[in-house]
Amino acid sequence: YILVTIGSRKLAIPIDNLAEVSSMPKVTDLPNLPGWIKGIMNIRSEIVSLIDFSSFLGAAEQEHNPGGGKLIVLRSDKVKVGINVDTIVGTVTRNLSDVKPSDTAGENPIARDLFAEQLPVEEDFFFILNVKKMLSHPKFVNFSEET
């Protein structure tokens, strides 16, 4: 797992779902899209969307570094999306037996879907992001139907 922070959120992202880690490239804004879609980027001659992860979750809190920080490109099957992270804490290797069910994802239904498990690291817990569920979530796939 790669451990990252976005605002006050602590996330563990499975390395298998990680396409790239880099500094933030130039982002081109696109009109008439939900606020959580920040634009598109050219990464190695491939167009990748950038999303504001906190806004995607419907949180009032915005990322601490909306224009800075590091870029993490997530992938599942052939779908890729970039998210801006504040810090990269590090990487860890854990056994499946170390993964714990998450009962503290809160009332947010998207968060409950995406963070069903958590990973204890030292004296802290990192929510494991289910990238496949995120990239196939109805809000992500059918964003044009949002009000």
Side-chain angles (χ1 to χ4, degrees):
Y1 298 91
I2 185 168
L3 307 176
V4 301
T5 63
I6 301 175
S8 61
R9 297 180 196 284
K10 295 177 182 178
L11 304 179
I13 300 169
I15 294 288
D16 292 346
N17 295 121
L18 189 64
E20 180 145 354
V21 177
S22 70
S23 57
M24 187 59 63
K26 181 181 180 223
V27 178
T28 303
D29 295 332
L30 296 174
N32 304 319
L33 291 174
W36 54 268
I37 300 176
K38 293 300 173 193
I40 56 173
M41 310 163 289
N42 182 341
I43 301 187
R44 301 185 201 296
S45 299
E46 185 175 12
I47 302 300
V48 177
S49 298
L50 175 68
I51 68 167
D52 179 326
F53 191 70
S54 295
S55 293
F56 174 76
L57 294 176
E61 117 188 27
Q62 295 293 311
E63 294 179 4
H64 288 174
N65 265 330
K70 295 286 185 189
L71 172 70
I72 300 250
V73 178
L74 306 174
R75 72 168 172 225
S76 178
D77 299 322
K78 294 182 181 182
V79 179
K80 290 183 181 178
V81 69
I83 61 173
N84 187 355
V85 300
D86 291 327
T87 57
I88 297 173
V89 178
T91 59
V92 294
T93 302
R94 294 289 190 266
N95 295 319
L96 284 176
S97 60
D98 294 330
V99 173
K100 306 295 181 205
S102 174
D103 56 0
T104 58
E107 297 301 314
N108 183 325
I110 297 175
R112 282 197 310 267
D113 285 348
L114 302 185
F115 305 122
E117 299 174 316
Q118 57 187 341
L119 189 67
V121 178
E122 295 176 6
E123 295 183 15
D124 218 342
F125 284 94
F126 286 76
F127 288 106
I128 299 172
L129 175 61
N130 187 322
V131 174
K132 186 173 184 112
K133 281 189 177 182
M134 178 187 152
L135 298 182
S136 63
H137 193 278
K139 181 175 180 177
F140 190 85
V141 175
N142 299 317
F143 62 83
S144 63
E145 297 177 11
E146 286 186 19
T147 56

